[in-house]
Amino acid sequence: MASTTFTSPGAKVRPGEYIDHVLSQVKAKNPAEPEYHQAVQEVLDSLRLVLQKHPEYQSARILERMVEPERVIMFRVPWFDDHGDVQVNRGYRIEMNSAIGPYKGGLRFHPSVNLGILKFLAFEQVFKNSLTTLMMGGGKGGSDFDPKGKSDNEVMRFCQSFMTELFRHIGPDTDVPAGDIGVGGREVGFLFGQYKRLKNEFTGVLTGKGLNWGGSLIRPEATGYGCVYFAAEMLKTRGDSLEGKTCLVSGSGNVSQYTAEKLLDLGAKPVTLSDSSGMIFDPDGIDREKLAWVKDLKNMRRGRIREYAEHFRKADFAPADAAQDHNPLWGIKADCAFPSATQNEINAKDAGNLIKNGVKVVAEGANMPSTAEATQLFLDAGILYGPAKAANAGGVATSGLEMAQNSMRLSWTREEVDKRLHSIMSSIHKTCFETAEIYGTPGNLVNGANIGGFLKVANAMLDQGLV
Ligand code: NDP
């Protein structure tokens, strides 16, 4: 606990009403940002247990300060398409909280990107980064630019224009972006090249870099591998393992591919993948050969998941249907579910279907993939539920390891990084598990992750005074 503290005579709200007061302020001050409200509500609900024991956080108005980003940058990104026509997108960087280290968090390029979605992601990132035990604050950014269907040259021109504004706000000791949806190795390369050119500096300003120019081994694999390690830790608490388990994986991008890969390593059987156009179900399992085919489809040819069912004839394809009130992927009988595509992809109906079919584990590779109602159903059913900010923290943790290697100007071996990733995921699970017990909600890793992540940041904020 922090040794120094201060009180605010202005904090007049009665202690029992403090959380609801902050929540209503967040909704009033940030209208039309439902994802941000959802992420804040989930964390603050867990913190009711903490605030009763620690009135000093209310005195210092820590919650009001945490829900207000330290800085929001929003900018125009003009670029020429291949026809010579001018295109204009909007760029963002949310610098949410730097109490325990430089801002750290990915960039998302997707047409659905808006301020509220990036604020939810940046807010989650603060607690996730704290759980990793590394010194990283929280941030997130991106653009409504859609890389799908664009040529490599168009993506490069967009990335160069995006970085021409962003470069003045970031730096290896200030803010270190990485990838997220729509931002993979290709985009990080173009962004890094433009940063280096503008600053005339070769520094570790981005993570997820190529291996021969400062990247870390295992960084591409880390979020998926880490999520599977987390699921294995959860199963261990019930004397069980992933061996022989049938697993549902959604998405088919970075996180999904390496989730499926690690599941195969540990003897499990992934049977589904998806993208925004639909899902495939392969009852025989997606083995290593089929997974290699998917990686080529998605990372090289940039094709659609439907082609899997055209190529491997025993698999079924179901097109996405926004009019349906549930996602058929979560209706398939399985032992484990790894949502790895996007936010709110599991609603209450989907959660009900998973539970009805006897799912034992839900480990979230994507950020906030379960709606608030779905989360509550998982908790009520007593299944092993690993919330995103704990289960998918392996990606940012390995970004932290990339930053460490860049600072020391050396590269660790694959085995060394994987060992560290594994040990970080075990320690995150231990923190969540033990914190949930200490605060009287054993087995509730949502409370464990939210409280475990919060305490370190809140105490650092108390130590550092009103800034
Ligand atoms: P990718 O862009 O590599 O893959 C995203 C996948 O999800 C694609 O298959 C994509 O399909 C699908 N998808 C995206 N948006 C939608 C949507 N609105 N509806 C249906 N499908 C959708 O991204 P990542 O794998 O990197 O990220 C996936 C999730 O994991 C995100 O929630 C991200 O925030 C989270 N995450 C990622 C980390 C990382 O290290 N990359 C770290 C921690 C969390 P399509 O191609 O058709 O759009």
Side-chain angles (χ1 to χ4, degrees), residues 108-112 120-121 125 128 140 146 148 178-184 219-220 222-224 250-257 274-278 298-299 303-305 320 327 339-343 345 364-369 388 392-396 399:
R108 177 176 290 192
F109 292 168
H110 192 272
S112 64
F120 117 62
L121 289 163
Q125 197 80 45
K128 180 189 309 192
K140 199 85 187 188
D146 187 358
K148 265 205 289 288
D180 190 76
I181 291 178
V183 180
R219 176 59 190 93
T223 306
S250 64
S252 49
N254 172 271
V255 177
S256 319
Q257 292 170 20
S274 67
D275 63 19
S276 50
S277 65
K298 285 292 170 182
N299 309 344
R304 312 304 293 153
I305 202 66
N327 181 343
S340 311
T342 193
Q343 62 273 2
E345 55 172 308
E364 297 185 333
N367 282 308
M368 207 169 75
N392 75 25
V396 72
S399 278

Side-chain angles (χ1 to χ4, degrees), residues 382-401:
I383 62 156
L384 295 165
Y385 173 61
K389 58 173 82 65
N392 75 25
V396 72
T398 308
S399 278
L401 301 180

